[in-house]
Amino acid sequence: MSLTAAPRIAQELAGAVGEAYVCDRSSELEELAVDGVAPGVAVSPGSAEEVAEVLLLASREDLVVAPAGGGTQLGIGRKPGKIDILLRTSRLNKVEHYDPGDLTVGVGAGTTVGDLRRLVSDHRQVFPLDVARAHEATIGGVMAAAAHGAEKHGYGGIRDFCIGVQFVTADGRVAKGGGRVVKNVAGFDLMKLMIGSFGTLAVIVGASFKVFPAPALTKTFAGDFASLEEAMACRDAVLASPLSPLCLELISPEAQAYLSQGGAQGRWSVLVRAGGSERVLARYRAELGSRVARELEGAEEAQTWRAVAEFQETVARKPGASMVLNVSLPIRAIAEMVRASRLAGESNGLAAAAIGRIGVGSMLVAFISQSDIKPEALAKAVTFLRDQLPHDASAYVLHCPRELKSRLDVWGSSPTDVAAMRAVKSTLDPKDILNRGRFLF
Amino acid sequence: MLLSKLATRLRQIVGADGGLDRPEDVSLYEYDAGLAKGRADLVVLPRSRDEVCEIARLASEARVAIVPRGAGTGLSGGSVPRQGGIVLVFSRMTKILEIDAANRRAVVEPGVVNLELSQAAAKYRLYFAPDPSSQKASTLGGNVAENSGGPHTLAYGVTVNHVTGLEVVLASGRVIEMGGKAAESLGYDLTGFFVGSEGTLGIVTRITVKLSPLPELVATLLAIFNTIDDAANTVTSLTAEGITPSALEMLDGWTLRTVEEATHAGYPMDSGAVLLIELEGLREEVAEQAEAVAAVCNRNRAREVRRAKNDRERQLLWMGRKNAFASIGRLSPSYYTQDGVVPRTRIPEVLKFIEGVSQKYGLRIGNIFHAGDGNLHPAILFDIRDPEQVAKTHAAGADILRRCVEMGGAITGEHGVGMEKNELMSMMFSEEDLEVMKRLHDAFNPDGVLNPQKLFPTPRSCREGIVSRQPLPEAPR
C-alpha cells in the first residue's frame, strides 16, 4: 500500500477491529517481519466477522494479506514481495466445544497447540500433534502448514483427525466445512483443502478435531545401529510385526548431535514408542528383542521426544548456514533418499542430518554448513537430492538462509496438477491477496 | 448433437457391446440400493481412461449429463441419473494395477470391488480398511465418490483416510493427476477434496490406496441387554472410558429378531438390544480390552456378554449385521434408511427421540447403527403403494435428521448426500458455506455436465419443476 494510503487503511482497520488491535508502529512491525519484509500494518481481529471485514477491505484496496498465528512457520515459502496487512489470529483463541465423552474438541485458530494439548491431557486424552515450539504454534498455523511430529506414525496426520474447519475466504465469506462429529460426509471436504494450503486460500478461524484416549503407560525402545541398512532392517521388522507403536522414528548420526542423546552418538537410532499396559510394553520388549539398546521412560523419554519435535528449530538456531527440508515420500524410498542426502552433503561440503517418521514417509533432512561455505552449496545439495526422489515425492524448504531464497526454488515439484490447484486458488482468492507470490505457483 | 448421433459416436469409442440404449437394458441402471430412481438415455461402459476422456469431451460438447456408476450399491442416489443423459458404468475397468506391499499401497481401476482388493492383498497380510456393508459388491470408485465408511471406520477412518492419489478425468476431458503413493503431497490436497465429492467434480479413473496390516488377533463380543437404554449408555461409557474397539455396532430388539429369523446368526430373540463389539490388536491388548468391555457392559446391566469362539461364529455375527437391511426387506414392502450422526454422548437421547418419531407417525422404525461413532441407521418401514405413508416417511426422516443436526451432528455419516438429501443440506450449511462449495464445484464442472442436481439444494427458482418431475421415493423395494 502506498505511504499516503497507510493512515487511512489503518484507520479503517481500527474501525473494523478496534484501535487497540491495530499496530502501525514501525518498531513493532519490524519485529513481525517475514523474511525481512515488514508488514505495513498488523491487525488482530476478534471474530470471524472481523476477519471478513479486514479481508473485504484488503480485497477492495488490493492489499496483500499474510495470515499469522504464532509465527513459527511463517518463514516457509518464497520471500514475500510485500505484506500490506499481517492478519494475526491470536485473539481467536476460544475453546468452542470440548466434550471429553465424545473425544472431540473445537477451538479458535489462534489457540496454541501447547494449550490444546494441555487442555485435553487434563482429561487423559491426546491431541496428537507434537510439533516444534508448541507453546507458540497455533492451530491455524499447523493446519495451514500441514505440520507434523513423531506422533503422525500412530495417529495419522492432521488431515486424518481434523473433522471441521471454519474459515473466511479472501473475498470475505465466512464459511465452514465438516462439523464437530467424528463421522460426516455431508458436502465437500474443505478441511482437506485448507490443510497444507499455507494461508493462500482463506484465513482459517477455527477447527474441530478428534482427540484420543491417552495410553496407560508409554515407553520408548531405542535401537542403535552402525549402519542405515541395519536401522532400516529394524524398521522393516517392526512393520512386519504385529506391533502398532505410537511413534517409529529414525535419527541419523548427524542428527544425534542436535538431540544430545546420551550413548547413541555416531549411531543410527530407531526409536519405537509403545503405549499400553505393562503387559503390552513387555510384549514390545519381547518382539523387539536384541534390537533394543536402550529403554527410555518418564522424564528421559519425554525429553527425547521433545528434542525430536524441536529438531528443525535446534538446527535453525545453530550458528552457520543451514537448511531444513520437509521430505514426503513412499516408505520404501526412504533409505535411498537418506543415502542421497548424505551424498549431496558430502559433495557440497555440508553435513546432512536426517530424522523422521520412517513408517509413514514424513522426513526432515537438514544440510548444515560446517565452515564458511557459501549458501550456494545448500542450493546445489537440495537440487541434487530432489533429482534422486521418485516423482510423487516432494522436498520443500522449512528453513534456509534468507539470502538463498531468491536463488532457490524453495518448494520443488508437486505431483498434483498445477492448473487444477490454480483453479482452486482463483475460486477462493480471485484477486490473489492471500500470501501473494509465496506458494508453489 | 442429437442423442442418437451421440450414441453412434460413443459406440465407436467403446465398441458395440459397450453402449446400451434399449429400454430393457437401460432400465437395469435406474436404481441404486436406496429409493432414488431415474432413467438414463444411454448406458456406456468404457474400457480405459482414454475412452472416458473422449466420452467426457463429447458429452460436454453436447451438454449431455454424465453420471458415473460403480456397482449401484449407494444409498443416496449418487449414481442414479436425475435428468437422463449417460450413465457411465465401470464394470469393464476392474483391474488391480499394482499391489505394492513394500509401500503398503495398491493402485486400482475404479471398477475393482472393495472386498476383492482386500482378498488380493491378504497374501501380504494387508487389507483395505474401509468396509461398507456392501463390500462384496461395491466398487472402489464408488467408495471414493461417496467417501464410504463401514463398521470398522470407528478405528480406521473412512475412505478418504485411505486414499493417497487419484487420476481424474474432468468434464472437459482433461486428465489430471493428484497425489501419489506418498502419504501426503506438496500442494493443495485435491485428492482429499475429490474423495466424497459424489461424482460432481470429475470422473475417477485410477486410485492409489493405503493397505493396512492385518491385526494379530480379532475378538468379537456380543453384549446382550434387556433395554435399549442400557445398550446406549454402554456405548457412551465405553467412549468416555477411552476403550477403543475397532467396531461397535448396535441393533435394537425388533431389528435383531428380524435379522435372526432371516440369517440365524445366533442373536437372542428376547432381548431389548445387542452390541456387537470388535477388538483388534496384540493378544495382550485384546485380552485387556475384552475384560474392560465386559466390565462396562456389566455395569450397565448387560444380561450376558458372549465372545465368538471361532472364526465361524464371528463371521455369523457379522453376517447378521451386514445383511440386516436385507432381512428387514423380507418383512416390509419398503424401508427408508437414514444416515444421521450425533455426538456419541447423545445416543441415548436420540434413540428416545426416534421412538417418539415412530409413535408420532405410526411407522415402525428399526435401529441398527454404528454406535461407536454415533452414526445412526434408523430404517423406517413403510408401504410404497400408500402415498400417505410415503409422505409420513419423508417427514419422519427429516425430523430425525433435523434433530441430529440440532444435537451438533450431521445429516450423513457415510452414505452421501446425492439426490436424497440435497434439499436438506441447508440444515447443516449456511448459504455462504454452500456458495463456497458451489463455486469450487463450478471451477471443475462449470456446465454441470457431471452428475447434475446432486449434493446441492436445488436453486429456489428451479425447485418446483424438478420436484414434480422426480417425486421421491418412488422405487418399490
Side-chain angles (χ1 to χ4, degrees):
Chain A
M1 87 188 100
S2 72
L3 277 175
T4 49
R8 179 176 58 82
I9 300 289
Q11 205 173 359
E12 285 199 41
L13 288 171
V17 306
E19 207 167 324
Y21 303 109
V22 178
C23 170
D24 57 359
R25 286 177 298 277
S26 56
S27 57
E28 284 175 47
L29 293 172
E30 288 301 326
E31 276 178 34
L32 297 171
V34 178
D35 286 342
V37 178
V41 60
V43 53
S44 308
S47 66
E49 291 66 32
E50 289 184 8
V51 172
E53 282 199 55
V54 173
L55 292 176
L56 278 171
L57 171 70
S59 250
R60 198 169 64 233
E61 305 274 346
D62 193 32
L63 302 174
V64 173
V65 178
T72 62
Q73 299 166 106
L74 278 180
I76 304 175
R78 297 202 184 111
K79 184 178 166 178
K82 63 165 184 170
I83 300 171
D84 294 315
I85 301 174
L86 191 78
L87 193 161
R88 310 181 75 181
T89 58
S90 48
R91 291 176 66 212
L92 307 171
N93 60 356
K94 282 195 235 6
V95 176
E96 300 293 341
H97 65 98
Y98 176 37
D99 317 290
D102 284 322
L103 294 163
T104 58
V105 66
V107 295
T111 309
T112 67
V113 172
D115 282 347
L116 182 50
R117 280 170 75 88
R118 215 166 14 251
L119 170 73
V120 303
S121 74
D122 289 347
H123 295 265
R124 291 205 48 76
Q125 295 181 349
V126 182
F127 175 71
L129 202 62
D130 47 351
V131 293
R133 292 165 68 185
H135 58 290
E136 295 166 83
T138 62
I139 291 304
V142 293
M143 285 178 71
H148 54 89
E151 288 169 346
K152 186 175 179 183
H153 177 85
Y155 296 98
I158 196 163
R159 90 192 274 275
D160 294 307
F161 54 82
C162 176
I163 56 178
V165 65
Q166 302 93 48
F167 55 89
V168 183
T169 61
D171 53 353
R173 285 174 195 280
V174 179
K176 67 173 179 294
R180 51 194 265 188
V181 281
V182 297
K183 204 170 170 192
N184 176 8
V185 298
F188 291 150
D189 193 336
L190 302 180
M191 293 77 82
K192 303 295 183 289
L193 275 190
M194 294 301 146
I195 294 167
S197 65
F198 289 91
T200 60
L201 294 179
V203 176
I204 298 169
V205 294
S208 293
F209 301 95
K210 288 189 215 183
V211 293
F212 302 85
L217 302 166
T218 67
K219 185 172 263 195
T220 297
F221 300 94
D224 300 321
F225 303 97
S227 69
L228 172 62
E229 289 66 32
E230 286 169 85
M232 295 313 272
C234 174
R235 187 261 327 246
D236 292 346
V238 173
L239 291 181
S241 79
L243 304 178
S244 49
L246 304 172
C247 307
L248 178 57
E249 194 82 0
L250 175 75
I251 299 163
S252 80
E254 294 79 6
Q256 302 280 10
Y258 296 90
L259 270 60
S260 54
Q261 275 206 110
Q265 296 303 327
R267 314 277 279 177
W268 295 85
S269 293
V270 173
L271 303 183
V272 182
R273 187 176 203 187
S277 65
E278 284 290 0
R279 276 170 75 197
V280 170
L281 300 184
R283 176 72 191 282
Y284 272 78
R285 190 180 297 111
E287 288 285 330
L288 295 168
S290 62
R291 294 181 190 91
V292 179
R294 295 170 289 140
E295 293 186 15
L296 310 174
E297 57 188 359
E300 191 188 11
E301 183 188 28
Q303 163 56 29
T304 298
W305 290 108
R306 203 63 252 141
V308 167
E310 298 297 335
F311 170 76
Q312 64 196 80
E313 290 296 322
T314 314
V315 170
R317 274 199 300 274
K318 288 264 155 102
S322 65
M323 169 189 280
V324 183
L325 297 168
N326 184 91
V327 185
S328 181
L329 74 177
I331 58 172
R332 205 48 49 178
I334 292 173
E336 197 52 49
M337 184 280 289
V338 172
R339 275 192 287 270
S341 72
R342 286 159 73 85
L343 200 57
E346 273 166 35
S347 47
N348 290 287
L350 302 164
I355 188 168
R357 283 95 256 179
I358 42 177
V360 292
S362 295
M363 305 292 293
L364 300 178
V365 170
F367 291 117
I368 303 135
S369 156
Q370 305 294 52
S371 55
D372 210 14
I373 284 175
K374 291 199 181 104
E376 274 76 9
L378 295 168
K380 278 191 199 155
V382 66
T383 306
F384 177 88
L385 177 61
R386 281 180 181 152
D387 285 347
Q388 313 299 314
L389 295 177
H391 85 281
D392 56 351
S394 55
Y396 64 86
V397 175
L398 293 173
H399 158 81
C400 74
R402 193 181 298 159
E403 64 270 28
L404 198 56
K405 283 204 171 178
S406 55
R407 283 169 277 173
L408 170 72
D409 175 4
V410 294
W411 292 110
S413 63
S414 159
T416 299
D417 189 89
V418 171
M421 288 194 276
R422 278 210 184 98
V424 171
K425 168 75 174 171
S426 61
T427 300
L428 297 183
D429 181 13
K431 291 176 131 182
D432 191 16
I433 61 166
L434 289 171
N435 278 338
R436 182 182 294 168
R438 295 209 71 197
F439 197 38
L440 197 54
F441 44 80
Chain B
M1 199 181 318
L2 282 172
L3 217 49
S4 58
K5 242 174 110 184
L6 181 63
T8 311
R9 288 288 304 278
L10 290 173
R11 278 213 187 80
Q12 285 164 1
I13 296 167
V14 297
D17 53 349
L20 314 172
D21 59 0
R22 289 187 309 182
E24 60 270 37
D25 293 331
V26 172
S27 67
L28 295 174
Y29 299 90
E30 280 180 4
Y31 306 105
D32 65 358
L35 298 165
K37 181 186 176 188
R39 177 167 294 207
D41 298 302
L42 297 166
V43 174
V44 179
L45 297 85
R47 292 166 293 198
S48 68
R49 176 202 64 197
D50 291 347
E51 289 185 3
V52 173
C53 289
E54 285 191 64
I55 296 161
R57 208 172 292 129
L58 284 173
S60 274
E61 274 169 26
R63 297 287 168 100
V64 169
I66 299 179
V67 180
R69 179 184 174 101
T73 57
L75 290 158
S76 58
S79 63
V80 174
R82 201 160 194 182
Q83 55 170 42
I86 297 165
V87 167
L88 197 64
V89 181
F90 284 91
S91 51
R92 297 203 296 180
M93 288 178 68
T94 57
K95 278 195 277 301
I96 296 175
L97 300 170
E98 183 188 4
I99 291 187
D100 179 354
N103 280 315
R104 294 188 169 176
R105 295 291 183 271
V107 183
V108 300
E109 290 187 327
V112 170
V113 170
N114 173 301
L115 190 60
E116 285 174 9
L117 174 60
S118 286
Q119 284 165 346
K123 62 172 171 258
Y124 306 102
R125 293 197 48 77
L126 297 170
Y127 75 114
F128 180 64
D131 61 338
S133 293
S134 60
Q135 70 180 148
K136 282 182 185 164
S138 72
T139 64
L140 291 164
N143 294 167
V144 166
E146 300 298 316
N147 196 7
S148 304
H152 289 81
T153 56
L154 175 59
Y156 303 113
V158 283
T159 299
V160 72
N161 303 110
H162 300 273
V163 177
T164 58
L166 294 174
E167 175 192 78
V168 172
V169 174
L170 297 180
S172 61
R174 195 166 83 81
V175 181
I176 61 173
E177 292 276 345
M178 44 191 82
K181 286 182 183 170
E184 275 168 28
S185 298
L186 170 62
Y188 299 146
D189 181 8
L190 296 188
T191 307
F193 175 56
F194 269 64
V195 174
S197 61
E198 306 193 5
T200 64
L201 297 177
I203 305 163
V204 171
T205 49
R206 198 179 64 224
I207 308 161
T208 305
V209 298
K210 288 184 190 173
L211 297 174
S212 304
L214 287 163
E216 178 179 56
L217 186 64
V218 179
T220 306
L221 310 181
L222 186 72
I224 302 161
F225 297 86
N226 285 331
T227 70
I228 193 153
D229 266 5
D230 290 341
N233 289 328
T234 302
V235 173
T236 307
S237 310
L238 286 169
T239 311
E241 293 196 18
I243 299 168
T244 51
S246 58
L248 175 52
E249 302 286 304
M250 190 196 284
L251 288 82
D252 70 10
W254 179 84
T255 309
L256 69 90
R257 280 186 286 281
T258 306
V259 167
E260 185 57 24
E261 275 163 11
T263 61
H264 309 291
Y267 294 160
M269 294 293 280
D270 60 343
S271 64
V274 298
L275 293 177
L276 185 58
I277 305 162
E278 194 141 281
L279 305 166
E280 295 185 7
L282 292 176
R283 288 190 297 275
E284 292 81 355
E285 287 169 330
V286 171
E288 286 167 8
Q289 292 226 337
E291 269 175 48
V293 165
V296 171
C297 292
N298 291 330
R299 214 179 320 132
N300 284 285
R301 295 187 291 271
R303 199 167 80 191
E304 190 189 344
V305 181
R306 289 183 200 159
R307 179 166 170 170
K309 285 186 213 62
N310 50 44
D311 204 45
R312 201 190 130 265
E313 280 191 16
R314 189 182 157 250
Q315 296 294 349
L316 212 53
L317 286 174
W318 275 111
M319 192 181 79
R321 165 62 186 89
K322 294 209 167 186
N323 292 327
F325 288 110
S327 310
I328 292 172
R330 293 189 351 150
L331 286 190
S332 172
S334 323
Y335 62 91
Y336 183 34
T337 311
Q338 297 293 311
D339 182 37
V341 187
V342 293
R344 295 169 274 204
T345 44
R346 311 292 290 271
I347 288 174
E349 192 184 336
V350 80
L351 287 176
K352 285 200 188 74
F353 179 82
I354 292 172
E355 199 184 311
V357 169
S358 165
Q359 282 163 10
K360 175 178 165 192
Y361 293 100
L363 294 167
R364 161 75 70 188
I365 303 179
N367 280 297
I368 168 164
F369 61 99
H370 309 306
D373 38 28
N375 187 190
L376 315 167
H377 289 325
I380 308 171
L381 275 59
F382 69 105
D383 186 343
I384 196 114
R385 296 158 297 192
D386 177 349
E388 195 188 340
Q389 277 201 33
V390 170
K392 280 183 175 173
T393 300
H394 260 227
D399 280 5
I400 292 169
L401 292 183
R402 194 171 299 111
R403 190 78 194 104
C404 290
V405 173
E406 283 166 6
M407 288 177 165
I411 58 171
T412 174
E414 56 183 12
H415 295 172
V417 176
M419 59 195 271
E420 179 215 3
K421 291 183 285 287
N422 60 322
E423 305 300 353
L424 305 182
M425 281 287 276
S426 37
M427 280 186 190
M428 276 185 75
F429 295 106
S430 71
E431 280 189 24
E432 293 275 77
D433 301 338
L434 292 169
E435 176 63 22
V436 167
M437 291 182 199
K438 186 72 175 64
R439 286 182 181 202
L440 288 163
H441 168 275
D442 292 352
F444 290 96
N445 181 16
D447 302 320
V449 165
L450 296 177
N451 216 1
Q453 297 172 23
K454 303 286 174 72
L455 207 148
F456 292 98
T458 319
R460 219 158 271 140
S461 53
C462 329
R463 199 170 291 166
E464 280 300 300
I466 285 164
V467 170
S468 63
R469 259 181 60 201
Q470 292 287 345
L472 270 174
E474 59 182 31
R477 299 283 309 162

